[in-house]
Amino acid sequence: VPRTGEVVFDKVTFTYPGAEQPVLADISFTARRGTTTAIIGSTGAGKTTLISLIPRLHDATSGTVSVGGVDVREAQLESLWARIGLVPQRPYLFAGTVGSNLRYGREEATDEELWDALAIAQGEDFVRAMPETLDSPIAQGGTTVSGGQRQRLSIARALVRQPDVLIFDDSFSALDTATDARLRAALDREVTDATVIVVAQRVSSIVDADQILVMEDGRIVDRGTHSELLQTSPTYQEIVST
Ligand code: CTP
Ligand code: MG
C-alpha cells in the first residue's frame, strides 16, 4: 500500500496545449515519504513543467501521476492541494502583512507555528528585526523585501501548511551558500515525514538528496545519488563542473 504523500510518475508525457513537441517524455520515478528527491538539469529541461503536474496545474498527456496511491485526476482538487506545499520558482507575496502572507493556505496557524516555520526557513532573524515583526506590512508582489527574503517567506508559507508533499522549485537560488546549507539542515532535522522534491540549479543544494534525477530535453537521462552520478553520469559531471 503506497504511503501518505508518496509521489509516483508512471510513463508520463506532456505536451503544452497547441504545441507540437512534447516537453516531457517517458517520465517515471517514485518519490517516497521521508526522503528528498532532487531534480537538476539545464534551463528549459522541463523541471517546472514536471512538478506542475503534481498539483494538477497541468494534466499529463499520457501516463499517470499519483499522490499517496491516488491518481491525481481522480483526487478531489481541494484535498489534493491541501496536501501539497509548492514553493514556486517566482514566489508571490500579496499586499498585507508578513503574518497574513505566511497564513495563506492555513488561516488558523498560531503565531508560534509561524515562528517555527520561519526558523526552519531561515527567516526568523530578519522578521524579528522588522519594526512590527509578524504585523509588518508587505507591499503587493513583495517589493518591500529582498529576493532572498521573499524566497524564505515563501518557503515558510509552505511549511506552515504542514503538507505531505513539499516541492521547492529553485527556491534556494537567491540564498547565499551558508544560508542555503543551514536551511537544508533545518529541513532535514524538522521535516521528517514529508515527501520532499527539490528542483535546483546548484549542485551544493542537492548533494544530500536520497535520489537525484538528471533531466535533459524533457527526459530523465540519469538517476542516482550524488556519488553514484559522479561515477556514472557525464551530464551530471558537466553540471557539477560548471
Ligand atoms: N514551455 C512552454 N509553455 C509554458 C511553459 C514552458 O512551451 N507555459 C516550454 C519552455 O519553453 C521549455 C519547456 O517548456 O522549452 C520546459 O520549460 P520549463 O519546465 O519551465 O523548464 P525548466 O527546466 O523549469 O527551466 P528553468 O531552469 O529555466 O526554470
Ligand atoms: Mg523552471
Side-chain angles (χ1 to χ4, degrees):
V1 179
R3 290 185 290 180
T4 318
E6 183 162 288
V7 175
V8 180
F9 277 59
D10 186 26
K11 300 191 188 72
V12 169
T13 65
F14 177 74
T15 306
Y16 277 103
E20 285 177 6
Q21 296 297 319
V23 167
L24 298 175
D26 197 26
I27 301 285
S28 297
F29 70 91
T30 298
R32 294 203 163 77
R33 180 183 179 198
T35 72
T36 298
T37 295
I39 304 173
I40 197 160
S42 53
T43 181
K47 305 180 297 295
T48 296
T49 305
L50 187 157
I51 59 162
S52 76
L53 304 184
I54 301 169
R56 287 192 67 191
L57 304 181
H58 300 290
D59 274 331
T61 308
S62 67
T64 49
V65 176
S66 62
V67 175
V70 177
D71 185 334
V72 292
R73 276 169 303 203
E74 276 147 31
Q76 200 220 344
L77 261 191
E78 257 179 67
S79 64
L80 179 68
W81 285 351
R83 295 162 62 200
I84 298 172
L86 170 67
V87 182
Q89 194 164 12
R90 284 178 210 81
Y92 192 80
L93 300 180
F94 52 81
T97 63
V98 169
S100 66
N101 269 279
L102 294 179
R103 280 196 178 86
Y104 179 70
R106 206 169 133 253
E107 299 300 324
E108 70 275 20
T110 63
D111 281 5
E112 197 189 344
E113 287 173 317
L114 303 190
W115 286 116
D116 287 347
L118 283 168
I120 299 170
Q122 307 302 307
E124 191 180 357
D125 290 352
F126 80 79
V127 174
R128 284 213 194 278
M130 291 171 136
E132 297 168 83
T133 69
L134 292 174
D135 296 324
S136 302
I138 294 277
Q140 184 170 356
T143 49
T144 42
V145 294
S146 76
Q149 290 172 336
R150 188 155 61 231
Q151 271 190 334
R152 283 175 279 173
L153 291 176
S154 183
I155 291 165
R157 173 196 278 166
L159 292 170
V160 166
R161 301 176 62 228
Q162 302 177 340
D164 295 330
V165 183
L166 252 175
I167 308 169
F168 300 105
D169 191 355
D170 208 16
S171 302
F172 313 131
S173 58
L175 308 179
D176 60 73
T177 47
T179 307
D180 180 8
R182 277 201 304 275
L183 198 158
R184 283 179 295 104
L187 279 174
D188 264 3
R189 205 169 51 237
E190 308 289 341
V191 183
T192 50
D193 281 346
T195 302
V196 179
I197 298 178
V198 176
V199 171
Q201 298 286 349
R202 201 157 57 193
V203 169
S204 63
S205 305
I206 59 158
V207 283
D208 298 329
D210 299 282
Q211 87 177 317
I212 300 169
L213 311 176
V214 183
M215 285 191 76
E216 211 174 65
D217 290 336
R219 291 174 183 275
I220 297 172
V221 292
D222 290 305
R223 66 183 76 203
T225 62
H226 174 71
S227 57
E228 287 164 358
L229 288 167
L230 282 179
Q231 305 283 329
T232 59
S233 170
T235 313
Y236 192 72
Q237 288 158 6
E238 200 179 302
I239 294 168
V240 170
S241 65
T242 51

